[in-house]
Amino acid sequence: LSGGMTQAPEIGAPLDFREILKSSFWRFRMHWGEGEDQAAPLMQCVGGNDAIVKALVRNIKSPIVTGAPVQSVQLRESGVDVVYEHKGRVREVRADFCINCIPSHLLPGIRNNFPDTYLAALASVQRGKLFKIGLQMKERFWERENIYGGITWTNQEVEQLWYPTHGIHGRKGVMLGAYVFDDQTNDLFARLTPAERIDLAIRNGERIHPDYRRYVETGVSVAWHRMNHMMGCTSRWTPEARQQYYTTLQAPVGRHYLVGDQVSYHPGWMEGAISSAHLALADIDRRVRAEAAGATANA
């Protein structure tokens, strides 16, 4: 224990090693920030990570159609036909190529004419269950405790509390009141009503911050394996499935390309999704150039 900058330090008695081993903190949480995908961020998007999506949208010239569930994906020799529903009307797009980021576990449920080997590859990828709760606080009470960003780990149902690194010394703030990795606990939260989820998160938080409940204004919860059009979160590859099927899904089938973090070695992260898209675009560029060169040679 330190006496501060102007006083002599006071050395506290070290914890007995047996007491340290009783806690699971040392197993992975103690060095969580040293992981390749969990290092402390040095830069953040102003306004949140949605700013990346908004920047992409601003630079796409063709119109973007949203709220359009896909009903069919059909391969043909010279392209791909996609049928979707938009505002109550069924429409069809006939394209030279299709770059598809629909979750792999949902794609077999859409009408398609994929080869059996490709369908088997799609079925080999499992989906994770992750759960989060965001809580808007009427005051940034944690800053009075000298907490500026970071994570509180707990062995309760919520697993983690996250403190915002933006809006410092503002009036309000949004905390991450739960980030759950355990499948059984995810199922527990998913079975609760939204109000019950938030109440459980508050009861957990009160054990760390006694006045937690009185600061909560409102909250929102997301159970990804219960979300329409997703029904799961990060993809889960077993070593056997990755060895047998990964290259099958990474490669195009006809002129159809599956992309997303699910077809990467970094599932659950934007880097994996962007890298898989770059790989597909590079292959399409190669094919188009080869086809153009062949057409010129035959002219």
Side-chain angles (χ1 to χ4, degrees):
L1 300 176
S2 174
M5 293 295 179
T6 58
Q7 302 175 34
E10 301 175 14
I11 307 301
L15 290 174
D16 186 86
F17 189 60
R18 289 172 297 181
E19 295 299 319
I20 296 176
L21 293 179
K22 287 180 182 178
S23 170
S24 65
F25 186 78
W26 61 272
R27 295 182 184 274
F28 66 93
R29 297 171 179 175
M30 184 171 64
H31 46 82
W32 182 262
E34 302 301 322
E36 63 174 307
D37 54 9
Q38 294 292 344
L42 298 179
M43 300 181 68
Q44 298 181 6
C45 298
V46 176
N49 279 348
D50 282 354
I52 297 176
V53 177
K54 293 174 183 177
L56 289 171
V57 169
R58 287 196 300 269
N59 288 277
I60 296 176
K61 296 180 180 180
S62 58
I64 299 174
V65 179
T66 59
V70 173
Q71 296 184 344
S72 173
V73 179
Q74 299 292 323
L75 310 178
R76 50 187 172 82
E77 185 176 350
S78 58
V80 182
D81 296 339
V82 176
V83 176
Y84 65 93
E85 181 182 352
H86 185 242
K87 295 182 178 180
R89 294 182 60 186
V90 176
R91 304 171 186 267
E92 182 179 26
V93 173
R94 294 177 63 84
D96 296 329
F97 294 94
C98 174
I99 299 177
N100 189 346
C101 62
I102 291 175
S104 57
H105 65 296
L106 298 181
L107 199 48
I110 297 172
R111 291 195 304 274
N112 65 78
N113 60 344
F114 296 139
D116 290 342
T117 53
Y118 196 77
L119 290 172
L122 290 171
S124 71
V125 186
Q126 302 302 309
R127 282 283 145 173
K129 299 177 180 180
L130 293 178
F131 176 81
K132 280 186 176 181
I133 288 180
L135 297 174
Q136 179 171 293
M137 301 297 186
K138 64 181 67 174
E139 296 179 30
R140 300 173 72 90
F141 66 87
W142 54 91
E143 292 176 357
R144 292 197 293 271
E145 301 176 29
N146 293 320
I147 298 174
Y148 295 91
I151 298 173
T152 290
W153 288 91
T154 169
N155 58 4
Q156 302 175 92
E157 289 89 349
V158 295
E159 289 198 40
Q160 294 182 334
L161 303 182
W162 286 29
Y163 308 91
T165 55
H166 65 279
I168 292 175
H169 297 310
R171 188 166 66 89
K172 298 183 180 183
V174 176
M175 282 184 56
L176 190 65
Y179 192 177
V180 183
F181 302 92
D182 178 75
D183 281 357
Q184 290 185 335
T185 310
N186 270 295
D187 287 334
L188 166 66
F189 272 108
R191 290 193 297 269
L192 300 177
T193 66
E196 290 171 337
R197 295 172 181 177
I198 292 172
D199 182 68
L200 177 55
I202 291 174
R203 284 188 278 120
N204 281 189
E206 286 177 316
R207 296 178 180 176
I208 300 167
H209 303 287
D211 293 332
Y212 199 66
R213 183 178 295 272
R214 75 182 185 91
Y215 292 112
V216 177
E217 284 189 325
T218 187
V220 61
S221 61
V222 178
W224 272 281
H225 64 290
R226 296 283 297 274
M227 296 288 289
N228 285 342
H229 312 298
M230 292 182 64
M231 304 303 291
C233 200
T234 59
S235 58
R236 290 180 176 176
W237 287 88
T238 64
E240 296 77 16
R242 193 176 284 278
Q243 181 178 9
Q244 184 174 358
Y245 292 117
Y246 179 73
T247 55
T248 300
L249 294 183
Q250 192 178 48
V253 53
R255 290 174 173 253
H256 172 276
Y257 291 79
L258 183 69
V259 298
D261 62 288
Q262 58 191 351
V263 195
S264 78
Y265 278 84
H266 212 183
W269 296 92
M270 287 187 290
E271 296 93 334
I274 292 170
S275 295
S276 73
H278 283 171
L279 189 69
L281 288 170
D283 193 65
I284 291 173
D285 179 70
R286 177 193 60 77
R287 293 175 68 173
V288 170
R289 290 175 183 272
E291 290 170 5
T296 301
N298 294 327

